[in-house]
Amino acid sequence: MKPSIASPLYHAEPIEQRIRALLSRMTLPEKIGQMNQRNASEGYAPDYLAEELRAGRVGSVLNVADAGIVDELQRIAVEESRLGIPLLVGRDVIHGFRTVMPIPLGQAASWNPELVRECASVAAREAATTGINWTFAPMIDVSRDPRWGRIAESCGEDVFLTSRLAVAMVEGFQGEDLTEPGKLAACAKHFAGYGAAESGRDYATTSIPEIELRNVYLPPFQAAVDAGVATLMPSFSELNGIPPTGSEFLLRQVLRDEWHFDGFVISDWDSVRQLRTHGLTENDAESALAAAAAGVDMEMAGGAYIDHLAGLIEEGRLSIDVIDSAVANILRIKFRLGLFEDPFSKRDRLPPLLDADALATAKAAALQSVVMLRNQGGVLPLRTDGLAMVAAIGPLADAPYEQLGTWIFDGDPACTVTPLRAIEALLGPGVNVHHVRAMETSRSKAGPAFDEAVAVARDADVALLFLGEESILSGEAHSRADIGLPGDQVELVRRIRATGTPLVAVIMAGRPLTLTGIVDEVDAILFAWHPGTMGGPAIADLLFGVESPSGKLPATFPRMVGQVPIYYSQKNTGKPPSPDMIVHIDDIDTHAPQTSLGMTAFHLDAGYRPLFPFGFGLSYAEFQYHDIRTSAAEIRLGESVTISAELTNRGGVAADEVVQCYIRDLVGSVTRPVKELKGFRRIRLEPGETATVEFELHTDELAFFGREMRLAAEPGEFHAWIGGDSDTELKTTFRILAAD
Ligand code: BGC
């Protein structure tokens, strides 16, 4: 096996020698050219880029996904420029290429790193057919605000889950060896803290104390760096007054000095020039200086580097060492990708797009990402015997484009299988599947079509309501202040409810939604995110019990938007709430005014509980957790403890369950969260089967940045839980003693 790119063997000669040899032959303009990424989507790229490529003024292009054009651009770069340096060809291959996988937040709901790795691997090999050799993914911003549209691109609220999936995605995109056909250089983004944008408004300010930054927002990036991620992108936002594009703290101290990252840093789109808009610099030249000095090696679009870096060097304001190390970082990745040996598209050596394997992966990912939030009276799975008529109602029952979600430049809606089509195929001609769209878009108001939907539902054996958000309502710059079901969807639910026909809501969305208004109005809810190309067949299989739902929430679902941010790993506070210590606004006694309303950390109108907690998801099986234990009551720093429990499937069907292990460090030099995920495993149990699930925890895995801003585990008492969601109460305890 070839060494992984994280391995020191891979870093050894001759790549470093080749970099030095090449650098020594480069002129300053050629070096700056390598630091310049150009948009290739305007017009016919070879025409308007040819001169710049010949002059060595471009190191990378983005936004071209046509093999003929990419190969021609590469040919000009390698055959007609003085030094023949090949191009990096970047693209946002975020959750699939032609075969669209569930949105990343949906993939995260599978809690299945192997499957997530496979999704990235399929996306990489499809993209590579066009000559793309670099993706701007994974996006691994911890996201605790469902108003933020980009939560769709993330792995949700948790640092541990995000870190595990970050590694899986990097491995899937990059493989063991970047020179293999079908692999892409990955890009961990957006470094760092972007998910904490004030009020979830995209691009907005973030203020994150360093201790929280290090304990919550940075670990997924460090995990990606340790997994050998080739590139990294600073975020558009500002962090504690300094936009990451100009942050030496992030890009030099943390990334290079502490983590020893040896790939390169690409700015976000025009974010170098935006330093001026932020109010950090006076003009584009100063922006170029700030970004280059901070450690941004390549500029995406914008042109501040190509216009100003040479002048800054001439004026003696920027050291040539900064340029040389940036170019070396970029060339290192070009060498690792094998571009100097073969920069061209690999279409002949790769499977066709949308092949059976890609579609099977997309379906498996959709199946495992759907979260069943409610199943009153066991209405699901639906029985096919005796079924005569199904009402399939709603704007997302047959919306091939919408179910693909955000960032699908290269997806093809014509290849999408919608739930309507899949249900028809599954049921065959014997069952009448009556479709009423009822709303033109997810945002539409009530109209005459509601009456038609009600009439059809009244005659049906079951009403399936396909609700949620169209794809345009999430993603970059698509934040919402109200995260309820848009338009008159709640009204539609109430009208259908009144027919008395069993009612199942299938909800597709790019974020957690507040479902308080409908949760008691429907018999069952399948939350499907934006499930991608094969979402339809996956949903049909789940509805009719071919497979059991097994997804678990990667983010908390609030009752009301005003609870945000609400996440499971919160701090205890000095006045933690409990059911007997809260008062609801409707229960305040107006005749005998109460001065004390519980005096704990809760909202008068929302309490303190979310609607659905992190990690939650129901199954057709009945899983029972029991007999939790710990391998030792006490361990020393530097040792491990094993937490285990029994899991029994007491239901009648085989199903997957995602077993979760949480801990609480009761006393710390800084306060610790009330629960922290430390392990998870997806296992499958037959009816009646019992399995022992074990989680081995080394004290290093319990380490955190404490008062001295040093990563260390601290002695003291710990609680540990194992269960099916973050509310689990199956608990044991252990103690860590100081090292000998
Ligand atoms: C986004 C990045 C993306 C880039 C290139 C920006 O607007 O923030 O995540 O990679 O565009 O499309």
Side-chain angles (χ1 to χ4, degrees), residues 393 453-454 457 463 465 492-501 503:
I393 297 169
V454 168
L465 253 69
L492 180 63
V493 171
R494 293 202 175 123
R495 304 256 316 256
I496 304 290
R497 179 69 184 166
T499 65
T501 301
L503 200 175

Side-chain angles (χ1 to χ4, degrees), residues 62 92 136 150 189-190 233 236 268-269 300 407 476:
L62 83 162
D92 290 282
F136 306 121
R150 301 199 81 166
K189 71 187 190 184
H190 307 84
M233 184 188 292
F236 273 138
D268 204 342
W269 183 277
M300 178 188 286
W407 285 117
E476 184 177 349

Side-chain angles (χ1 to χ4, degrees), residues 142 159 163 191-193 210 212-223 239 249-250 254 258-259:
V142 169
V159 58
S163 300
F191 192 55
E210 185 177 339
E212 194 182 341
L213 192 68
R214 288 190 180 273
N215 281 321
V216 177
Y217 293 93
L218 296 187
F221 288 92
Q222 187 170 12
L239 175 63
F249 165 69
L250 283 176
V254 174
E258 296 180 21
W259 297 352

